Amino acid sequence: MIPLTITALFGTVFIIQTTLLKMFGSLAPDTMLLAAVYCGLKYGKINGYEVGIIAGIAQDILAFGMLGINMLSKGLTGFAAGLLKENNVIDPGSATAWSFLIITGTALNEIILRLYLIGFGNAHIYFADSLAAIGMQVTLNLLLGIPLFVIADELLKWVKDAFGIREY
Amino acid sequence: MKGLLSRYQNILLILLLLFVASMMLADNAKDKDKTNFMERFALTLTSPVNSTITFSVRKVLSVWNNYIYLINTSEKNTVLKKQLIEERFKHGLLLEELKKYRRVDGLLSYHPIAKEKFLVADVIGWDSTNLSQTAIINKGTKDGVGEQTVVITHEGLIGRVVSSSGHSSRVLMMTDSRSAVDAYVQGSRARCIVVGQNKGKCVIDYLSIDSKAQVGDKLISSGLGGIFPKGLTLGTISSIEPDSGRLFFKAEMIPSANFKQVEEVLVMLGTMSKNKIDLPEENR
């Protein structure tokens, strides 16, 4: 029931991201990155790793010619989030930890994507532009991420109570 | 063995991910312009969902804009009626001019774009990453849309189709960093290449410092790349400066088409796969 709830929540937000959010501008929060961070934080490195890979592949096949790149960045992000949680470096319930992981995860993700574009695309990557774009993406991810994590926590609490699940 | 695996589990997991991702990326690089089975399958699978959501939201917005949010409509209507009278008058004059021009030069038979067949398509979705600029439209192979079909709006070029399924296609926009369009500066006829940057502006490459191009000049497709027909409006030069010690200008272009709010597009059916424009013999 718990994996189903998480899939439903982040899946819905992902569909909204690919259909509605970009109607209002070219940038949108990266919901799949948020899913990887959340699962890593809550359920450890292996779950974060798996969710990151699946979420990344979903993004890759919905983009053109980028197969593997989001899988790599999201897989690493989920894994790192889980590793920090398992080693008690961060408190998985604190907003500071969420913010830290969203910021570092987004930066890692953007750097990997930009390295890919330098290697395989025609892009002229300028440092100042990239920094501004990463800053913008971090802001968007934080704006959606923190409320989404709170909603996910509340939703999971409700599901656990409703279905009598003790621990997951 | 088991102990060794669990001891180096973290490193092994990261190496495995790096290896699989590298294999996939190497495969992508081999066939940059081809879509694989998974991408086509995903397009087929997701397009009905995208289509339904986009359609519903547009309907709601349309009801709001056309039936509820009508402040200033009456004043605007009066202004527009006056404008319409003026425009009708101008239109009549221009029609006469056009007829005269056609009689003298046979303009229509020389204009490549006028001979293309168009299909109107709705944009039903976008990709989920911000470093890739693609859109999904609701026309596919069953409507005659295939790979390399050119997509435009009345404002200018949007891009080309890179993958198609039965009822939907993915369009690689001109602003994507993997897109490059061979172009002319409309006034000076200087050649250059317009390359996407995954943002609002495109970079203009190989614009010779000998050309008399300047800010505000329009760029049109040259037709030389083999995909885009000649004469499509691309955009306007927004900045241009000599690149120290190089033979080319460092320049940027703002696309004519509004990529952020594009809802409907025109698909140029005659451009699929091979750019087969029916040009008169002397223009080929």
Side-chain angles (χ1 to χ4, degrees):
Chain A
M1 202 62 208
I2 298 286
L4 205 66
T5 311
I6 294 175
T7 310
L9 178 68
F10 284 94
T12 308
V13 183
F14 182 60
I15 290 169
I16 292 171
Q17 183 195 339
T18 56
T19 52
L20 305 184
L21 285 180
K22 285 209 174 179
M23 277 183 182
F24 307 106
S26 57
L27 278 176
D30 191 340
T31 48
M32 293 293 98
L33 178 93
L34 297 175
V37 169
Y38 186 79
C39 291
L41 264 176
K42 292 285 164 186
Y43 306 110
K45 65 183 182 193
I46 300 296
N47 286 310
Y49 183 75
E50 287 168 357
V51 170
I53 287 175
I54 293 166
I57 286 179
Q59 271 188 315
D60 286 334
I61 57 174
L62 287 170
F64 161 69
M66 298 184 91
L67 204 59
I69 197 72
N70 282 297
M71 181 190 84
L72 174 67
S73 64
K74 267 76 180 183
L76 284 177
T77 307
F79 181 75
L83 199 65
L84 291 175
K85 182 238 176 188
E86 284 180 10
N87 290 318
N88 296 318
V89 179
I90 50 169
D91 169 15
S94 89
T96 318
W98 297 349
S99 306
F100 170 74
L101 280 170
I102 291 172
I103 293 167
T104 47
T106 308
L108 173 75
N109 187 54
E110 295 287 315
I111 289 166
I112 290 175
L113 289 172
R114 276 177 169 73
L115 287 174
Y116 164 77
L117 287 176
I118 291 170
F120 294 97
N122 303 313
H124 297 236
I125 305 287
Y126 301 112
F127 182 70
D129 281 4
S130 299
L131 216 58
I134 292 172
M136 192 67 200
Q137 191 61 54
V138 164
T139 313
L140 284 172
N141 285 350
L142 278 174
L143 281 175
L144 180 73
I146 305 289
L148 193 64
F149 286 8
V150 173
I151 293 170
D153 271 357
E154 290 302 315
L155 194 66
L156 290 178
K157 213 160 85 182
W158 179 82
V159 169
K160 278 177 190 169
D161 288 346
F163 293 91
I165 301 164
R166 281 177 182 272
E167 200 49 61
Y168 184 82
Chain B
M1 184 66 185
K2 204 176 172 186
L4 202 69
L5 279 177
S6 66
R7 193 174 161 193
Y8 294 108
Q9 189 193 36
N10 293 350
I11 296 166
L12 285 174
L13 283 173
I14 291 171
L15 285 177
L16 178 71
L17 185 57
L18 279 171
F19 175 73
V20 176
S22 311
M23 296 300 284
M24 286 178 166
L25 288 171
D27 192 50
N28 286 345
K30 206 167 59 185
D31 274 323
K32 268 188 183 178
D33 278 352
K34 293 265 186 276
T35 46
N36 57 38
F37 166 74
M38 266 162 74
E39 285 172 334
R40 280 196 298 275
F41 180 67
L43 190 64
T44 312
L45 210 67
T46 54
S47 60
V49 182
N50 282 338
S51 192
T52 310
I53 293 171
T54 312
F55 178 78
S56 317
V57 171
R58 286 204 180 131
K59 279 286 162 209
V60 171
L61 286 175
S62 158
V63 169
W64 170 259
N65 288 330
N66 298 323
Y67 298 99
I68 301 166
Y69 188 70
L70 295 171
I71 298 171
N72 298 332
T73 306
S74 176
E75 287 92 333
K76 273 185 193 164
N77 199 25
T78 315
V79 174
L80 288 172
K81 271 182 182 169
K82 281 180 188 166
Q83 272 182 11
L84 183 65
I85 293 166
E86 278 178 31
E87 294 302 325
R88 273 187 181 156
F89 178 70
K90 285 183 196 166
H91 180 70
L93 290 177
L94 287 172
L95 267 181
E96 279 309 305
E97 286 291 314
L98 183 65
K99 278 178 187 167
K100 188 175 146 192
Y101 195 66
R102 276 182 189 164
R103 277 200 303 275
V104 177
D105 294 322
L107 175 71
L108 188 63
S109 62
Y110 277 79
H111 202 294
I113 307 303
K115 289 206 162 188
E116 294 296 328
K117 276 188 182 170
F118 293 104
L119 188 69
V120 179
D122 288 328
V123 175
I124 56 167
W126 288 265
D127 65 57
S128 60
T129 59
N130 295 321
L131 283 180
S132 164
Q133 304 276 313
T134 61
I136 303 165
I137 57 171
N138 67 343
K139 299 285 183 230
T141 46
K142 291 195 174 153
D143 307 289
V145 180
E147 286 177 18
Q148 311 296 14
T149 308
V150 176
V151 178
I152 61 169
T153 67
H154 65 285
E155 295 167 318
L157 179 68
I158 290 289
R160 65 188 161 96
V161 171
V162 286
S163 67
S164 281
S165 64
H167 294 290
S168 57
S169 302
R170 181 172 295 281
V171 179
L172 185 74
M173 297 210 190
M174 186 175 61
T175 47
D176 189 289
S177 64
R178 291 162 292 178
S179 166
V181 185
D182 200 287
Y184 282 133
V185 179
Q186 200 167 31
S188 64
R189 314 307 287 174
R191 265 188 76 193
C192 55
I193 292 174
V194 174
V195 181
Q197 289 298 296
N198 291 328
K199 56 181 186 178
K201 289 179 181 176
C202 296
V203 160
I204 304 169
D205 277 344
Y206 307 112
L207 179 60
S208 167
I209 49 170
D210 294 335
S211 67
K212 289 169 187 162
Q214 53 190 3
V215 172
D217 280 356
K218 281 200 167 164
L219 293 175
I220 54 166
S221 59
S222 70
L224 296 173
I227 295 171
F228 303 102
K230 187 177 180 177
L232 296 174
T233 308
L234 303 180
T236 312
I237 298 177
S238 62
S239 71
I240 185 164
E241 55 188 67
D243 201 355
S244 55
R246 296 189 65 191
L247 295 170
F248 305 106
F249 278 123
K250 190 178 170 189
E252 283 189 324
M253 182 200 83
I254 296 176
S256 306
N258 185 353
F259 285 86
K260 283 182 184 171
Q261 284 165 344
V262 61
E263 288 184 17
E264 290 93 20
V265 292
L266 289 171
V267 182
M268 296 177 73
L269 290 178
T271 56
M272 192 168 72
S273 296
K274 272 265 171 217
N275 185 11
K276 19 170 215 183
I277 297 168
D278 196 12
L279 281 170
E281 198 61 45
E282 60 270 33
N283 276 19
R284 282 184 189 175

